[in-house]
Each structure stands twice: as C-alpha cells, then as structure tokens.
Amino acid sequence: MSAEVDGFDWEAVLADWQRRGNNLATVHAVPVLVSAVLWTLVHECSGWVLGFFLNTKLDLPPTHSFKWRSRVVSFFFSLTILVGAFYGLLFDPFLQGDSFTSYSTVAYYTITTAVGFFLWDVIICARHYDEFRFPLLFHGIACLLTFLHSLQDGKFMYYGCFYLTFEASTPFLNMQWLLEKMNARPSLKLANGVLLLSSFFVFRIALGIGYSFLVWQDINERLPAMTDSSDRFFGYYYTIAMLSLSLLNVYWFYLLCRLMVARITGTDNSSKKTQ
C-alpha cells in the first residue's frame, strides 16, 4: 500500500526519481558530462585568456583564482547559450506549439549544455564556498534541478529557452569587471554599466517576473489534470523555484543599482577591494 501524504504518493515520487536517475545515467549522461568537461577546460585555460586581455602575466591570489577564472567561463557560456535560446524562441518550429510540452533537438542540446554548465557551477561554488557564498550556490542548484528535470521529461523546453535569455546581462557583467582590471576610460565603463543595468532589468526583472506569472498560470491550470504525483511535485517545485529566483534577481538588481550610483557619485571603494 503506497504512502500518501499531503496529496503526494511519496513512494511513487521516489520510484520516479529512481527511474529518472537510471534514465540520466543511460541516456543523458554523455552530453551532460561533455558539456561539464568543456566548461572545466575553459576554466583551466581562462588564465591565458585573462592574461591576453590584461596584457600581462596573470598572477592571481590563490583564494581568488577560481572566482576570477569563473568569469571567463560564464562569459563564453552566456554567449553560447543565448544563440540556442533565442533560436528556440524565435525560429525553432518544433517549439512553437504547446509551451509546456513542446520538444526539439536544438532545445534538447541547448538545455543539455546548460545542465553541464550548472553542474560545473555548483561544484565550483561548493568547493569555494567562502568566495562565492550562498546566493550563487543556491542559484546554481536551483537552475541545475530545473533544467535537469526539463531534460528528463522533455518538457518545459520552450520555457527553459526563455529563462536562459536571462544570460543576456552576463557578458556585460563580466565585461565590467574586465574593464576595471584594464583601467579603461570612465566613459567606457559607464556605457557598459548602463548596458548591464538595462539588460538585467529588461530580461530578468521586467520580462522575467512578468513572464513567470504567465508560466505560473499555465502550471496552475495543468495541476488538477496531473494524476502523477511526481508531475505535481515538480509543478509545485517550478513555482517555488521561479519565485525564489525572481527574488534573487531583484536583490542582485538592487546591488547593481547601488554600485552604479556609488560609482557615479564617486563614493565607491569596491574597485580597490574587488578581486
């Protein structure tokens, strides 16, 4: 007799997770691991990339090495993933049907690339927790679980491509750091800062929170028809993840705005302490 608590058949949920684990190991493991290894290689080579742009041999403090190098990985990941995400949203005919259940090969490999990256990201944030702290670790875990579930079920891929467009602000974020290290002209740093704030607000705040409400409505309408406990569990999980990540983005946007105001008014001392 199955144990049902709060409307969930937890034995069925656990059995489904075991099935998903076996499916991950036999079907999705290779592309995910290829992606994770690729970003690890980019991370290992990132010192040379940074050294080239800074026109000097990069001599990083050991406590900051991983944090600095991760910026190169996130920069190239964001550029790569945005191509797949925007193609899926705008041009992929297989994703233009049901937003929740539509599937395409391009979207599959886009999300596989994202899963490999967030797997790498979680490992780095956990190993160097003192540098990255809880918000970045939480962000990595939430994104990893969300996209991993999409990969397993072949669902949520259209929505997954939309949420990957959040990475549109990432190149400007990492470029801002690079401009600081290169002692670029203040006008150039200001222009990039404006692009950073604008892209962050448009994709993560305005479109992100607004569209998340529509996604929540879609999930909420489907929940009564979900007879499988595991599907309903992940329906609730998506709702909690969207709310949590939206709050995290609002918090990060507040920090960016505060930093920008401090830079403009000349009251910021973070550049002296930033590693």
Side-chain angles (χ1 to χ4, degrees), residues 80-155:
T80 302
I81 214 66
L82 285 171
V83 174
F86 279 114
Y87 175 83
L89 292 175
L90 301 175
F91 304 110
D92 193 337
F94 297 102
L95 289 187
Q96 306 309 312
D98 188 312
S99 298
F100 195 82
T101 60
S102 56
Y103 174 93
S104 83
T105 302
V106 173
Y108 172 82
Y109 284 108
T110 298
I111 291 176
T112 297
T113 301
V115 170
F117 169 80
F118 286 116
L119 175 61
W120 170 86
D121 186 49
V122 168
I123 293 172
I124 290 296
C125 288
R127 288 183 60 189
H128 302 273
Y129 181 81
D130 290 343
E131 293 299 317
F132 293 96
R133 301 295 181 179
F134 177 75
L136 287 175
L137 178 61
F138 171 78
H139 175 268
I141 292 174
C143 291
L144 175 63
L145 293 178
T146 301
F147 290 114
L148 185 60
H149 179 259
S150 174
L151 197 66
Q152 292 283 71
D153 269 5
K155 299 177 181 178

Side-chain angles (χ1 to χ4, degrees), residues 135-136 138-139 143 162-163 165-167 169-170 197 199-201 203-209 212 241-257:
L136 287 175
F138 171 78
H139 175 268
C143 291
F162 170 78
Y163 284 110
T165 64
F166 284 14
E167 294 297 325
S169 62
T170 303
L197 284 178
S199 59
F200 197 102
F201 176 78
F203 287 97
R204 292 180 181 248
I205 305 298
L207 293 177
I209 295 178
S212 289
M242 286 188 297
L243 176 61
S244 301
L245 291 174
S246 293
L247 291 174
L248 184 59
N249 281 326
V250 170
Y251 171 69
W252 280 341
F253 185 67
Y254 160 74
L255 293 182
L256 287 173
C257 289

